[in-house]
Amino acid sequence: MSAAATTAPVRRALPAPRGLVWTVLRLHRTALWIWTGFVVLTAGLLLWLYGPGAAHTQHLLDTLGYAGVQQDAWAAGVTGTFTGTYNDLFQDPASLLNISSFAVALFAAGTLTSRELENGTARLAWTQSVTPARWLAAKLAVPALLVTAGTSLLVLLYRMLWNAHGNLLLAGIGPRALYFAIGPATVAAPLLGLAVGAVAGLALRRTLPALAVAGLTQYAVNAFRANSWPFQGRYQQPELSVRSRAITSTGKEIPDPGCYDSHACLARHDVVGFTRRYLPSPDYWPRQLLETGVLLAATAILVAVAFGVLRKRSTS
């Protein structure tokens, strides 16, 4: 028997994370599963709103115009977060994304940094050929990559939903607030939360105080973004412009006659359908890019502060 025949075939294994990356993933696997579940469930909600979830409200818009949209939104007797109407379900993922940046800050302050400093496992890692700088770099880089990937996917799906069914939202400040809440700044916000939490955890080295400081700081950041120029500033800015038209049997577009559910009125005006859409805001991209730049700059500064605090703590 030849040597070639007796040589076992070489099995090629798929590349897998090793070293610090593997350690971070394994140590924080519960948080990884929670984040994965959040992304999957939110993406599922967005896809449902894009597809079958929009069918009923779209039918009301097509047959009754904006009055049909109002009828659907007020079906529960009240509008607000998590009420179950299409208008509110449309905006619920934005609330979840906002909450996620808060959750990332708490995770970074507690589980990611302060807990390991508090129980001494960080110093144990530093004695095993892992420098404090490499330890922190892995601690920040792995979650940052996963958070960026997840939020980017959700923002892309949200933009797709807005482009398809933004016309089904009730007029007011809500659509503008949502419009300015789904963009690159939404991806940058949890990265700032990660940096805020890391600084709090490294500076305080106690889990509960770090959680409190990171939570309050991120809450203040979110409140500032929501109400201050050049950020979302939803209370200082006008509503998005909207164009609503009725379509006659000849294909001509006329102003919405406001017939509500009166079929006699629709027949009198020869209306067979409706069209409605929010017009893009000219200041969307300037403000989005400015806000994203500010958030990323603040994140970079806080990351540098985190490394400075770690250097001081590890040498003391």
Side-chain angles (χ1 to χ4, degrees):
M1 184 178 294
S2 64
T6 59
T7 302
V10 178
R11 299 183 64 182
R12 294 184 178 181
L14 293 175
R18 294 182 298 175
L20 280 176
V21 173
W22 172 250
T23 301
V24 172
L25 290 174
R26 182 172 178 79
L27 185 62
H28 303 292
R29 57 186 179 276
T30 300
L32 173 62
W33 283 114
I34 292 173
W35 176 251
T36 302
F38 164 75
V39 172
V40 170
L41 291 175
T42 307
L45 173 58
L46 290 167
L47 290 172
W48 180 82
L49 292 168
Y50 178 81
H56 176 66
T57 310
Q58 185 66 55
H59 173 71
L60 291 175
L61 172 65
D62 293 339
T63 55
L64 303 176
Y66 182 58
V69 174
Q70 291 177 312
Q71 174 184 319
D72 181 67
W74 294 335
V78 64
T79 59
T81 305
F82 309 117
T83 63
T85 64
Y86 186 81
N87 179 80
D88 299 327
L89 284 172
F90 198 110
Q91 304 194 48
D92 288 343
S95 300
L96 294 175
L97 282 168
N98 190 44
I99 293 171
S100 73
S101 67
F102 185 80
V104 168
L106 295 181
F107 164 72
T111 306
L112 193 66
T113 54
S114 65
R115 189 178 69 177
E116 291 200 41
L117 293 170
E118 189 174 18
N119 61 26
T121 55
R123 288 194 175 274
L124 178 62
W126 300 344
T127 63
Q128 298 180 354
S129 71
V130 177
T131 65
R134 284 185 58 209
W135 173 84
L136 181 57
K139 285 284 188 179
L140 294 178
V142 174
L145 179 61
L146 295 173
V147 166
T148 301
T151 51
S152 296
L153 172 63
L154 295 180
V155 166
L156 288 174
L157 290 176
Y158 223 150
R159 295 301 303 182
M160 180 179 72
L161 174 62
W162 171 271
N163 292 333
H165 299 304
N167 57 347
L168 301 181
L169 293 176
L170 279 179
I173 63 171
R176 184 181 180 92
L178 176 61
Y179 181 63
F180 278 86
I182 47 177
T186 305
V187 180
L191 296 179
L192 178 59
L194 183 68
V196 166
V199 171
L202 292 169
L204 298 175
R205 294 187 294 178
R206 294 292 182 270
T207 301
L208 290 179
L211 288 173
V213 170
L216 289 173
T217 302
Q218 191 64 20
Y219 177 83
V221 169
N222 288 346
F224 183 80
R225 288 182 60 213
N227 298 290
S228 305
W229 190 95
F231 305 128
Q232 189 158 253
R234 58 184 176 185
Y235 300 116
Q236 292 82 25
Q237 298 298 330
E239 301 176 11
L240 284 178
S241 299
V242 63
R243 178 177 293 159
S244 296
R245 293 288 187 271
I247 304 173
T248 66
S249 60
T250 62
K252 181 181 178 181
E253 292 189 359
I254 62 173
D256 188 336
C259 292
Y260 293 90
D261 57 355
S262 172
H263 293 282
C265 175
L266 293 173
R268 186 166 60 252
H269 289 89
D270 191 29
V271 172
V272 296
F274 293 86
T275 180
R276 182 174 186 269
R277 71 184 183 96
Y278 284 102
L279 303 180
S281 174
D283 62 342
Y284 176 81
W285 280 111
R287 286 176 58 186
Q288 276 288 313
L289 295 177
L290 178 59
E291 181 176 6
T292 303
V294 170
L295 293 175
L296 291 179
T299 300
I301 292 171
L302 287 176
V303 167
V305 170
F307 276 97
V309 171
L310 178 65
R311 189 180 304 112
K312 181 178 179 180
R313 296 296 191 192
S314 61
T315 57
S316 60

